[in-house]
Amino acid sequence: MKIQEAIVKAVKILKANKIEEAWIVSKMLLANLLKIKKEELTINSEKELEQKMQEEYFKGICKVANGYPIQYLIHSKEFMKMSFYVDEEVLVPRADTEILVEETLKISKEKDKILDLCTGSGAIAISLLKYGKNCKIFASDISEKALEIAERNAKKLLDNSHSITFLQSNMFEKIEGKFDLIVSNPPYIRRAEIEKYSLKYEPKIALDGGEDGLDFYRIIINEAYNYLNENGKVIIEIGFDQKNDVEKLIEKSNKYTKIQCKKDLYENDRVIIFERR
Ligand code: GLN
């Protein structure tokens, strides 16, 4: 089978399973296996694909057809124009989360001390350091394995990776000191919804926000106050339908003011910002 034929066959399989961007996904996986650039597939399209390679390719394509994230197969996900290493220990960073980073960059000041809770692959923390204003970043996660990945990404993507401190902590448990900003994309999916297509392969611990999806917002809203400098701010990602519930929790706490909500590129409510009273 020629390279071009293999790609066409892969696209058919993916389309039959309603996988989006079937062409890009098919090319990405094959280029990754052949260790060449996606663009180089075209010049090699008439070349024969070895039997072993074919088997491996279609094994991967079938996984993706079943909803397995392609990013786990190629161990890479683009986020803020950087390529992050990912595997099954961390959530695949979402394009929506770039809004969280951009909003944080807008309000952060020179030399701010920033805490990234639930850092996962480190996508947020590393982007803040890469594009930010000389900030000092603390990135925490409950999962040791996630932290190893975040550290690996920091080493790969930053020349100043020493400005990130990684901490294993269940939310605020082992956090000490005060911060100018606390940013977080915590688990926020309602427990009953996790089994849905395309989320079933990602770590539950990174997605499960409890029965109503709000467990980690309750912790953040209760505790962030004690870890913020005066006028310190919290910036959190939320699910598209969680704005009202989260805003109510913030108001009820009586600890914060200036609650704002920002939308993502699809016009969904995505980020909530609030300030310590
Ligand atoms: N945005 C992710 C999704 O919808 C969930 C992220 C999270 O729980 N923090 O798949």
Side-chain angles (χ1 to χ4, degrees), residues 96 98-104 106-107 233-240 243 247 258-274:
D96 294 334
E98 294 190 349
I99 303 295
L100 179 71
V101 172
E102 280 160 17
E103 292 299 331
T104 308
K106 275 189 214 162
I107 57 177
K233 292 187 179 76
V234 179
I235 307 155
I236 47 178
E237 178 169 320
I238 56 162
F240 72 97
K243 174 179 186 270
E247 284 186 350
K258 297 190 190 162
I259 306 169
Q260 298 173 57
C261 181
K262 306 280 175 182
K263 291 186 188 294
D264 64 23
L265 298 171
Y266 302 100
E267 287 293 306
N268 287 318
D269 295 321
R270 187 56 67 197
V271 169
I272 292 194
I273 307 174
F274 49 105

Side-chain angles (χ1 to χ4, degrees), residues 91 94 185-189 199 206-207 237:
L91 200 74
R94 306 290 201 265
N185 175 16
Y188 59 68
I189 307 293
L199 289 179
L207 291 163
E237 178 169 320

Side-chain angles (χ1 to χ4, degrees), residues 203-261:
K204 281 200 182 50
I205 193 173
L207 291 163
D208 185 348
E211 214 106 305
D212 64 359
L214 304 173
D215 282 3
F216 293 92
Y217 300 127
R218 291 192 185 90
I219 298 172
I220 292 172
I221 292 163
N222 262 326
E223 305 214 12
Y225 187 86
N226 302 316
Y227 296 87
L228 283 170
N229 287 324
E230 212 161 309
N231 300 114
K233 292 187 179 76
V234 179
I235 307 155
I236 47 178
E237 178 169 320
I238 56 162
F240 72 97
D241 57 357
Q242 291 175 322
K243 174 179 186 270
N244 288 343
D245 289 339
V246 174
E247 284 186 350
K248 264 189 219 139
L249 289 174
I250 299 169
E251 278 160 15
K252 228 176 78 192
S253 77
N254 252 323
K255 293 174 173 165
Y256 309 94
T257 68
K258 297 190 190 162
I259 306 169
Q260 298 173 57
C261 181

Side-chain angles (χ1 to χ4, degrees), residues 85-141:
Y85 172 88
V86 289
D87 65 27
E88 289 183 15
E89 298 296 339
V90 292
L91 200 74
V92 177
R94 306 290 201 265
D96 294 334
T97 304
E98 294 190 349
I99 303 295
L100 179 71
V101 172
E102 280 160 17
E103 292 299 331
T104 308
L105 289 171
K106 275 189 214 162
I107 57 177
S108 71
K109 297 180 300 300
E110 187 81 23
K111 298 215 172 89
D112 266 356
K113 208 174 140 194
I114 303 177
L115 171 64
D116 173 22
L117 278 179
C118 316
T119 196
S121 63
I124 297 169
I126 291 166
S127 302
L128 291 175
L129 206 52
K130 177 95 177 174
Y131 299 106
K133 307 173 187 103
N134 213 355
C135 295
K136 180 99 189 81
I137 312 269
F138 294 78
S140 74
D141 205 286

Side-chain angles (χ1 to χ4, degrees), residues 143-172:
S143 156
E144 294 275 7
K145 288 187 173 146
L147 286 171
E148 279 169 26
I149 293 174
E151 274 185 73
R152 171 179 180 161
N153 279 321
K155 285 207 184 87
K156 173 180 155 198
L157 298 166
L158 298 169
D159 346 301
N160 53 345
S161 61
H162 55 273
S163 303
I164 294 198
T165 308
F166 291 101
L167 306 157
Q168 193 277 333
S169 175
N170 181 6
M171 299 304 282
F172 289 96

